[in-house]
Amino acid sequence: MITTSDPMWWTYHFSQLGTFGDMSSFLFNGTLIAGGLLVTTFTLYVSHDLAALGEGPRGIRVVGTALAIMGVMLACVGIFPVNVNMLLHNLSASGMALMFLLLLVGGPWIVRRMPRAYFLASWAFLAGLVISIALFATGYFGLTAFEIIVFALIFGWLAVFIRFMVVADQPDPRS
């Protein structure tokens, strides 16, 4: 963001950072690709941890697949900058958002071994997503702000998911 050739990039959208054909764009798109590969690799660890938790094969498969698709889609956002192929870029970003929505809404049916507090947290993330969509749709804030909020929600939820996965198998200290 600091090294970009257009200091007004934020008035368009976050993806504008990857469109200039300079080192800044290369770093931006490369970071998206590397981040996508890391999320996809992370899927293996999540699947292993869900199996250790005693989650059923369907839950492991759905969570693993959704996270892997999110990782691939994140990488594709960098592989297809918006000025190179807008359709594939937007489909990749939308696919990532749809997988996130699936994990938020489908949680109670997908990962049944998680504690109740996890599902309450997921519903709070869903509420944040819906509110940010409404605020964006009404013009309260622009696309760049919307993208930053959704990015923060996705990675914030991942942190919460990991934390709850770690404690899900622990005995309740109150009992």
Side-chain angles (χ1 to χ4, degrees):
M1 290 185 267
I2 294 171
T3 62
T4 186
S5 56
D6 181 5
M8 298 301 291
W9 67 267
W10 59 271
T11 61
Y12 302 104
H13 44 74
F14 223 85
S15 296
Q16 186 72 10
L17 288 170
T19 64
F20 302 115
D22 57 9
M23 182 57 94
S24 178
S25 295
F26 174 76
L27 290 172
F28 177 76
N29 292 324
T31 300
L32 291 173
I33 294 166
L37 294 173
L38 287 172
V39 170
T40 304
T41 303
F42 167 74
T43 299
L44 299 171
Y45 295 100
V46 168
S47 296
H48 177 267
D49 290 349
L50 285 173
L53 181 63
E55 191 62 55
R58 189 185 98 227
I60 296 167
R61 188 174 51 254
V62 171
V63 171
T65 301
L67 287 174
I69 290 170
M70 286 176 72
V72 169
M73 294 291 109
L74 179 60
C76 285
V77 168
I79 292 169
F80 305 110
V82 71
N83 63 326
V84 171
N85 194 322
M86 184 181 284
L87 177 64
L88 289 177
H89 180 85
N90 289 341
L91 284 173
S92 298
S94 298
M96 189 170 36
L98 283 174
M99 291 300 104
F100 178 55
L101 191 59
L102 166 76
L103 291 169
L104 286 178
V105 174
W109 299 277
I110 298 170
V111 284
R112 298 176 185 201
R113 303 260 317 162
M114 296 295 261
R116 183 174 184 267
Y118 162 76
F119 300 113
L120 294 175
S122 287
W123 289 109
F125 278 95
L126 179 61
L129 182 62
V130 169
I131 290 168
S132 65
I133 289 169
L135 291 173
F136 170 68
T138 59
Y140 186 75
F141 51 70
L143 182 56
T144 304
F146 176 69
E147 289 173 328
I148 290 170
I149 290 168
V150 172
F151 178 82
L153 286 170
I154 289 172
F155 283 93
W157 174 84
L158 277 171
V160 167
F161 177 74
I162 292 165
R163 179 66 186 129
F164 274 107
M165 199 169 44
V166 167
V167 300
D169 202 26
Q170 303 298 317
D172 187 349
R174 295 173 289 179
S175 44

